[in-house]
Each structure stands twice: as structure tokens, then as C-alpha cells.
Amino acid sequence: MTNQKYIALIDCDSFFVSCERVRTPELNGLPVSVVSGERGCVISRSREAKMLGVPMGIPLFQAVEKYPECIYINANHYNYTKISQQVMSILKEYSPNVEVYSIDEAFVDFTGLTKLYKKNYFKLAREIQKRILEEAGIPVTIGVSRTKTLAKLASDKAKNTSYRVALVGKSSINHLLEYTDIQEVWGIGRKLGIKLRGLGVRTALDYIKKDDKWIKPKFGKNGLGVKTELIGTIVSPISSEVELPKSISDTKSFLQFSSDLNFLKNELSVHIHACCVRLRRIECKCSTIGVILKTKDFRTLFSKVKLENPTDFEFEISRSAFPALAEMYSSNEVYRSVGIVLEDFNKSAEEQLSLFNNNEKKEQNEKLGKSLDTLEKKFGRNIVRTGFVNKDIPFKQGFLTKPQEV
């Protein structure tokens, strides 16, 4: 019997592009890049786009000029989040211990699953891979090994295999490390990798051969942790607990610059709603907000407001955000974007009711917020939008309906 753990890293391939191909299958096989906005840069590329030479991070205007044969699509993060949740739900059906590392990556504890599913690790990985592709439409690469760091290297190796699945057991660890550049190791990176190469450490195998007394003075506790994980001993176990984010923000450049205050308010309402949806999803409320306003010439104005009571409801946040926006606004300026930042979170379940607050109104707001989320889940994002009933009555809000988006 052994207590040895086996960890899998599931990595969605070109995730944003793959999500767009789920919605538009005609994009399959074509060079596609997802960009962060009309004036943004490339943030995801299909394999075909990579073969054209489209680099990650290139500004859109340069990419269109240099690679006109590529198809460029504005990012739809709401859609990507929904598909990511679908992928993660499938993984949680196989193992109770899943750590969502990012929107397109997750570590899964495979320990003991071979007995449960009566499949070896390779066949289990292939089954998960097949289910995610069939049910979510997303191709994934899977690496399986003894630690997170090794699973990450196995996943990188799998990208060059026909099945896009790679297993690295005890007997093959050194062989993998021998052909792994030190900069490719998770936790090392380019800057530290250059320093290590200057010290004669070129591969991951070179690194684990170094004595602990050599590593610790130069790279500290984290450096020792990397070595320990590379030799197959877990330092960073899988954790399924979700850490609260330090902040949630949403902003986007306008398609056309504007000096219209009501236009700015309505755009800000869209961003507030997007943040509140995310806030309710993690069952939290915020106590502090920040309003971002950027001018045409890229000057950034920022106003932070402490809320009287924690909230996750659009109208409550708007009640503080709109005056802050109006205070920064000047009719003589032309603006390129507006946005919102939510901070200081606490779990909704831990909130205490106050004798001095209108708790009945608070409960109504919570029900309305959940109703908005339910409508969006069923009919599409922004099926109901908050806005202004009358442009001549500042801060008075109502509902603006929008054609169905599915």
C-alpha cells in the first residue's frame, strides 16, 4: 500500500478561441484570434493562427495589418465563464478534490480513481477528455504525475502528443526533467531562469541535483519547494477551497469617445451589473467601490467610496457610484472608458442584520438580484438592463429591456 498522490492538470486548449468555435462551428480549422477589445490586443490564438505567426499580445491594429488572413473576434468573457463552469462541473463529477486554478485550468486529485472507475490513469484521462469535448465542446490537454509542478510539465509534454495526454510516473521523472529547460518549470519563469542559467543550471534535472544548501541562500524557501515538487514530493496540495478575490472590476473602452454624462452613466450601469453578477456568484457582498473614468488622452480619474452597508445589488452600488462619476465628470472633456471596482468582501451568510436598517427592503433587493441572474442564465446576458427612465431626471432608475441574446 502507498500514500502516493496522483495529480492531473486539465488545461483547455486555446480556451477563448475554443469557446468561440462552440458558438460558431464554421470557425473550426480557420486561423482565429480573440482580442481584448476594439482597441485591445490578441489574448488567445488558434493553432492555425499560431502557424501564421500571430504573436500573443500584439495590438489589434498591428495584427490586422500584418496578418489580414486571420479572423479577429472581440472577447466575450461572460460566455467564457459559463463554459468554464461547465468544464469544472464535469471534473467535479469524477473527483471531490478539484482546484480551479484559472478560468481554463484545474488540478484534479486522481488518487484512488483507478479503482473506483476500473481504468488506468491514461484511460481515465481520455474518458474525461472525451466528455468535456462532447458536453462542453472544449478540447483539453491532460498531464498526470505525482505533484502539481510535475503535472504541469506533463501537460506541456502532452501538447506534442497525438492524444494530448501524458503520464509521468516515478521511473520517468528524471527523463522528463533532463529535457525540460529550467525556464519552463512552473514557479521559475523567464527572469529567474536567466539567473539560473548564468549559474550553470540549464535544465530541471540540473536544478534537482543541486544541494539544498546551495538553493536556499539564493532562492529561499520557494526555491526549495520547487525542487521538492520536481523530485515527486508534494509541497502544494490540491485545495478545493475557493479564495475570495481581493477585488472585482469591469471596464471597457467605448466604440466612440463621448462627453455625454448620461451615456457614461448607462455604460457604468452595465459594468456595475457585470460585477454584481460575479459577486453574487461567489455569495459575497462588497463594502467599498471605486469608479474609474479615463479621458481620450489616457488620463485616468479614480474615486473610491465606502458604502454605508455591504451590498451585492446594482441599484445600491449605483446610488454611490453615480455621484462619484458626476463629481469627476467635466463637460469639456472627451472620455474613452468608464469602469467600476468592487473591494472589501465578506460572505453573505456571515452578514449580520441591523436593527437600524430597512431589512425588508434589503431582502427585496436580494430577491431582485437573484431574479436578474436567473433571467440571464435562461435567456442570455443583459436580457434586462438597468438604466434611466428619463434623461432629464438624474439618478432615477428603471429597467430597459433588450432583445433576447442566446
Side-chain angles (χ1 to χ4, degrees):
M1 294 293 290
T2 177
N3 294 322
Q4 179 63 57
K5 291 281 189 179
Y6 289 92
I7 294 174
L9 175 66
I10 286 76
D11 184 4
C12 299
D13 300 335
S14 302
F15 182 58
F16 294 169
V17 170
S18 295
C19 291
E20 294 298 337
R21 285 174 165 172
V22 171
R23 298 181 69 183
T24 312
E26 292 80 8
L27 295 173
N28 288 323
L30 299 177
V32 179
S33 292
V34 172
V35 296
S36 56
E38 295 288 338
R39 297 179 180 85
C41 57
V42 171
I43 56 176
S44 181
R45 303 160 296 162
S46 68
R47 187 178 301 180
E48 296 81 5
K50 293 175 184 177
M51 291 176 64
L52 283 178
V54 179
M56 183 70 85
I58 185 174
L60 176 59
F61 73 92
Q62 291 182 6
V64 170
E65 182 178 338
K66 293 182 178 180
Y67 311 97
E69 58 270 57
C70 188
I71 299 169
Y72 300 94
I73 301 173
N74 282 335
N76 182 343
H77 292 288
Y78 177 78
N79 182 50
Y80 306 155
T81 300
K82 285 178 63 179
I83 295 178
S84 174
Q85 290 171 345
Q86 188 178 2
V87 171
M88 303 308 167
S89 294
I90 294 171
L91 297 179
K92 290 172 184 176
E93 289 182 26
Y94 283 89
S95 173
N97 202 2
V98 176
E99 180 179 331
V100 179
Y101 183 67
S102 66
I103 193 171
D104 62 346
E105 288 181 299
F107 290 103
V108 180
D109 190 347
F110 264 28
T111 309
L113 297 188
T114 54
K115 292 182 179 179
L116 179 63
Y117 294 102
K118 295 180 172 53
K119 290 180 173 68
N120 61 33
Y121 290 122
F122 181 82
K123 289 182 179 179
L124 179 60
R126 289 285 289 161
E127 179 182 315
I128 292 173
Q129 193 180 49
K130 183 180 178 183
R131 270 200 66 189
I132 293 173
L133 183 61
E134 289 178 349
E135 296 179 23
I138 302 298
V140 299
T141 298
I142 301 178
V144 183
S145 194
R146 295 190 158 206
T147 67
K148 285 183 182 177
T149 303
L150 289 172
K152 186 78 169 66
L153 291 179
S155 176
D156 293 339
K157 176 184 177 182
K159 288 179 170 60
N160 298 317
T161 66
S162 57
Y163 290 114
R164 299 185 77 80
V165 171
L167 311 179
V168 177
K170 182 178 179 180
S171 61
S172 56
I173 289 176
N174 282 0
H175 183 267
L176 173 67
L177 301 186
E178 183 180 1
Y179 294 97
T180 298
D181 190 287
I182 189 61
Q183 292 184 194
E184 297 174 14
V185 175
W186 189 39
I188 297 294
R190 180 178 176 275
K191 203 170 184 180
L192 189 55
I194 292 173
K195 182 178 179 180
L196 282 164
R197 289 176 72 86
L199 295 170
V201 178
R202 297 183 175 276
T203 68
L205 187 62
D206 292 337
Y207 188 73
I208 67 168
K209 287 181 177 179
K210 291 293 184 181
D211 191 88
D212 289 359
K213 293 179 181 179
W214 184 89
I215 293 176
K216 189 171 182 180
K218 296 178 176 63
F219 308 107
K221 184 178 178 181
N222 291 338
L224 286 177
V226 170
K227 175 185 174 181
T228 304
E229 287 247 330
L230 284 174
I231 62 178
T233 302
I234 291 178
V235 172
S236 175
I238 289 180
S239 174
S240 55
E241 293 184 6
V242 179
E243 292 187 10
L244 296 183
K246 293 183 179 179
S247 66
I248 292 176
S249 62
D250 199 73
T251 185
K252 186 178 180 181
S253 297
F254 308 141
L255 294 180
Q256 291 184 335
F257 301 149
S258 178
S259 297
D260 186 336
L261 180 58
N262 282 322
F263 172 78
L264 298 179
K265 290 177 186 174
N266 275 319
E267 290 298 306
L268 183 57
S269 287
V270 173
H271 299 308
I272 290 173
H273 172 62
C275 285
C276 284
V277 170
R278 291 158 64 188
L279 201 55
R280 289 190 288 266
R281 189 179 295 137
I282 60 174
E283 298 180 342
C284 282
K285 295 187 177 182
C286 71
S287 299
T288 304
I289 66 168
V291 179
I292 308 165
L293 186 60
K294 188 172 289 187
T295 65
K296 181 181 178 181
D297 58 359
F298 292 98
R299 286 188 302 109
T300 300
L301 307 173
F302 183 77
S303 178
K304 183 174 283 193
V305 181
K306 185 74 174 177
L307 303 178
E308 289 185 13
N309 299 295
T311 186
D312 61 4
F313 187 54
E314 287 83 344
F315 290 176
E316 293 296 327
I317 292 175
S318 298
R319 189 172 289 119
S320 297
F322 288 163
L325 173 65
E327 190 173 339
M328 292 187 290
Y329 169 80
S330 170
S331 59
N332 297 322
E333 288 280 4
V334 179
Y335 299 98
R336 66 167 51 243
S337 67
V338 69
I340 190 78
V341 180
L342 310 184
E343 298 176 336
D344 295 340
F345 302 142
N346 66 284
K347 297 294 288 184
S348 300
E350 299 171 356
E351 183 187 7
Q352 293 184 345
L353 298 179
S354 170
L355 293 174
F356 304 100
N357 292 336
N358 186 342
N359 293 322
E360 183 178 351
K361 179 66 174 177
K362 175 177 166 294
E363 290 178 4
Q364 290 176 351
N365 289 344
E366 289 178 351
K367 289 180 180 178
L368 182 54
K370 290 178 181 177
S371 297
L372 292 176
D373 296 342
T374 301
L375 285 169
E376 287 204 347
K377 188 174 182 180
K378 186 173 182 179
F379 297 109
R381 190 184 187 191
N382 290 331
I383 187 65
V384 178
R385 295 179 63 178
T386 58
F388 303 98
V389 175
N390 190 325
K391 290 177 69 175
D392 298 324
I393 305 176
F395 309 134
K396 184 174 180 180
Q397 294 175 296
F399 287 107
L400 299 178
T401 59
K402 184 184 176 185
Q404 181 172 320
E405 294 180 356
V406 180

